[in-house]
């Protein structure tokens, strides 16, 4: 199976590069994909379509792995751009790892979540911090997908309402206002 995947290695790196934007991260992501598929015991037949590697399957695996890795960064940060609802800011370059104001916002999110009921805190952690999909959570917890979706949407609305001004100050570079 790995031999078949390796024949298209450059294609997988290009796909990963379109997600990560960095060649080193793209190569790491592809290597992690190889390890993951091998660990899961995927066979040649499972990853193939008409005697060639199923590109959509590989794209999906890479995308899901990228999404999870993005959500589990050093701070295991909430995707604040999505939280604000501003898609333009999502692509902007800003360094959150050493920014004191980001730490402050992150602490505020944790304080808000700490006040929620146990169920809500656990669901928030599974989705935002651990990067599990709605389907994974629904299957693991035995809860309806629609219920989980509505809860996640509610969490976003609550946090948007509580932190919207501070998040906009953060993205506008007004760190002293936070």
């Amino acid at each position: 199976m790995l031999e078949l995947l390796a024949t298209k290695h450059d294609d997988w790196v290009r796909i990963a590069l379109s997600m990560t934007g960095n060649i080193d991260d793209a190569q790491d992501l592809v290597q992690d994909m190889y390890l993951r598929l091998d660990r899961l015991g995927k066979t040649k037949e499972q990853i193939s379509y008409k005697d060639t590697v199923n590109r959509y399957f590989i794209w999906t695996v890479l995308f899901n792995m990228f999404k999870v890795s993005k959500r589990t960064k050093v701070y295991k940060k909430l995707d604040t751009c999505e939280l604000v609802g501003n898609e333009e800011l999502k692509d902007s370059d800003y360094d959150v790892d050493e920014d004191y104001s980001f730490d402050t916002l992150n602490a505020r999110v944790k304080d808000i979540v700490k006040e929620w009921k146990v169920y809500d805190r656990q669901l928030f952690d599974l989705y935002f911090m651990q990067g599990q999909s709605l389907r994974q959570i629904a299957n693991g917890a035995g809860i309806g997908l629609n219920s989980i979706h509505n809860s996640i949407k509610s969490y976003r609305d609550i946090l948007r309402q509580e932190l919207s001004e501070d998040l906009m100050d953060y993205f506008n570079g007004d760190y002293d206002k936070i």
Side-chain angles (χ1 to χ4, degrees), residues 161-172:
Q161 184 179 10
E162 295 282 329
L163 300 172
S164 63
E165 288 182 34
D166 289 336
L167 287 168
M168 290 311 294
D169 289 340
Y170 176 77
F171 289 122
N172 292 331

Side-chain angles (χ1 to χ4, degrees), residues 45-144:
E45 291 76 27
Q46 290 174 314
I47 65 165
S48 298
Y49 177 74
K50 294 186 179 177
D51 297 328
T52 186
V53 177
N54 186 337
R55 291 176 57 88
Y56 178 73
F57 174 78
I58 299 300
W59 181 90
T60 303
V61 170
L62 287 169
F63 181 74
N64 288 334
M65 290 177 68
F66 171 69
K67 220 167 61 171
V68 168
S69 73
K70 186 176 162 189
R71 286 190 176 153
T72 55
K73 290 272 185 208
V74 176
Y75 287 101
K76 294 192 177 213
K77 67 180 183 70
L78 178 63
D79 188 348
T80 51
C81 299
E82 181 181 312
L83 183 64
V84 172
N86 192 335
E87 296 298 318
E88 295 171 4
L89 295 173
K90 201 176 263 192
D91 297 328
S92 66
D93 292 331
Y94 57 92
D95 183 11
V96 296
D97 292 334
E98 298 178 10
D99 195 6
Y100 173 77
S101 58
F102 180 81
D103 291 339
T104 304
L105 284 173
N106 202 23
R108 288 186 186 162
V109 168
K110 288 178 183 176
D111 288 342
I112 292 169
V113 172
K114 197 184 310 180
E115 300 297 319
W116 293 350
K117 294 178 182 176
V118 174
Y119 167 81
D120 295 322
R121 284 194 313 256
Q122 289 175 342
L123 191 57
F124 180 87
D125 181 63
L126 288 172
Y127 184 77
F128 286 105
M129 301 305 187
Q130 295 181 27
Q132 290 189 16
S133 71
L134 296 177
R135 288 193 197 287
Q136 288 172 323
I137 296 169
N139 290 339
I143 301 170

